[in-house]
Amino acid sequence: MADTQAEQRPSAGEGRRPVILVAARFEEGHAHKTEVLAPNECGARVFFDAILAAGGLPVQMSLTDDEDVIDQYVTLADGVAIPGGPDVDPKLWGDDAPYDESLLCHVRDACELPLVRKAIAADKPLFTTCRGTQMLNVALGGTLDMDVPSIPRREGSVAHDHADLLTRTSHRVEIEPGSLLERASGSHGFAVNSAHHCCVGELGEGLVLSATSDDGIPECIEMPSRRFVLGVQWHPEYTWMTGGPDFNLWKAFVDACR
């Protein structure tokens, strides 16, 4: 009689917490006395705590560009979450203009580009924040605007600081009626934090824009053809603790993974 791992593992609807694969962040190694410590593959505690509080089981993946390994990770996962971090390399969408290398992370690019594509191909729920949302757009053929401060704002609006607030709200988001974001957040619009100097430009294939800031900056993209693909530009991992729409996003994501 077959005795495989898949047969032994209960489904996510039978009391088991759904497994949420979390893409790792990367920290360069640093000097320690006479040696250099190895680089770290890590994650923000608030990100893992948000998944746990919403009922999921976060599992951090290794940073790898081995597509066979990424395939196995996606098969293991009930859903995938990709956090914020450094800028996505503009060369990934064909922009060869000089760009500050210190703002990039090629190790994450090489891992997350196929990870996004494979998660979507497998129709695994996908929730991305900030850089993760930018990678979602790029992975599907979109582009980014690499300098939010220089983007013309909506006429008559107040231009907000989009770069430096994590624990406090920066601006409101205006949400498209009937969108996944509206359903997941339980809100028609609410105030969010903001810490990004890049944002979505031309939309990737199959993606739609479902929210902008009240001064006109793109804030959320989603993919209606999949059961749950949602990318927000803000950082709900820092604000879920107070409940409300941001915690609703985590709960809706984890529920979609059951």
Side-chain angles (χ1 to χ4, degrees):
M1 184 171 62
D3 187 23
T4 65
Q5 244 184 344
E7 288 171 337
Q8 292 174 354
R9 183 173 115 170
S11 73
E14 296 174 353
R16 180 180 65 85
R17 283 176 175 257
V19 174
I20 310 300
L21 183 68
V22 180
R25 302 186 67 143
F26 181 76
E27 294 179 353
E28 294 282 359
H30 62 276
H32 176 69
K33 297 183 179 179
T34 61
E35 299 184 309
V36 177
L37 298 179
N40 287 325
E41 297 182 358
C42 56
R45 183 172 181 178
V46 287
F47 201 91
F48 294 113
D49 285 350
I51 293 170
L52 286 167
L57 182 68
V59 174
Q60 181 178 297
M61 71 179 293
S62 297
L63 283 167
T64 178
D65 61 359
D66 186 324
E67 296 208 16
D68 288 337
V69 173
I70 296 171
D71 280 333
Q72 291 191 49
Y73 271 125
V74 172
T75 299
L76 169 73
D78 296 307
V80 178
I82 303 180
D87 297 350
V88 177
D89 189 352
K91 289 184 174 60
L92 292 179
W93 65 89
D95 184 348
D96 292 322
Y99 196 77
D100 186 351
E101 280 286 322
S102 70
L103 300 177
L104 305 177
C105 183
H106 300 295
V107 176
R108 285 190 62 178
D109 288 347
C111 178
E112 292 173 6
L113 194 73
L115 175 62
V116 167
R117 291 170 176 166
K118 291 174 183 295
I120 289 173
D123 202 12
K124 296 293 178 81
L126 176 64
F127 185 39
T128 64
T129 66
C130 202
R131 171 204 155 86
T133 296
Q134 294 160 18
M135 178 54 79
L136 166 61
N137 194 52
V138 171
L140 295 177
T143 67
L144 303 179
D145 190 311
M146 305 303 284
D147 187 37
V148 168
S150 69
I151 299 175
R153 297 305 204 266
R154 181 179 295 159
E155 186 176 351
S157 69
V158 174
H160 297 294
D161 174 11
H162 286 264
D164 296 312
L165 294 177
L166 284 172
T167 59
R168 294 179 291 121
T169 57
S170 170
H171 57 76
R172 287 184 59 80
V173 289
E174 299 174 352
I175 300 173
E176 286 294 320
S179 62
L180 173 60
L181 177 63
E182 183 184 59
R183 299 192 304 274
S185 68
S187 175
H188 305 300
F190 56 98
V192 300
N193 57 13
S194 195
H196 61 101
H197 71 97
C198 305
C199 69
V200 168
E202 296 178 10
L203 288 173
E205 185 177 357
L207 295 170
V208 298
L209 182 67
S210 56
T212 59
S213 62
D214 51 15
D215 59 348
I217 300 300
E219 289 290 337
C220 182
I221 55 177
E222 53 190 68
M223 195 172 195
S225 65
R226 294 296 187 268
R227 55 192 176 113
F228 192 105
V229 173
L230 186 68
V232 300
Q233 187 59 78
W234 62 96
H235 288 267
E237 72 271 25
Y238 278 92
T239 49
W240 67 268
M241 305 83 158
T242 57
D246 275 335
F247 189 36
N248 288 343
L249 295 180
W250 291 104
K251 291 188 290 185
F253 168 54
V254 170
D255 284 348
C257 299
R258 296 189 189 279

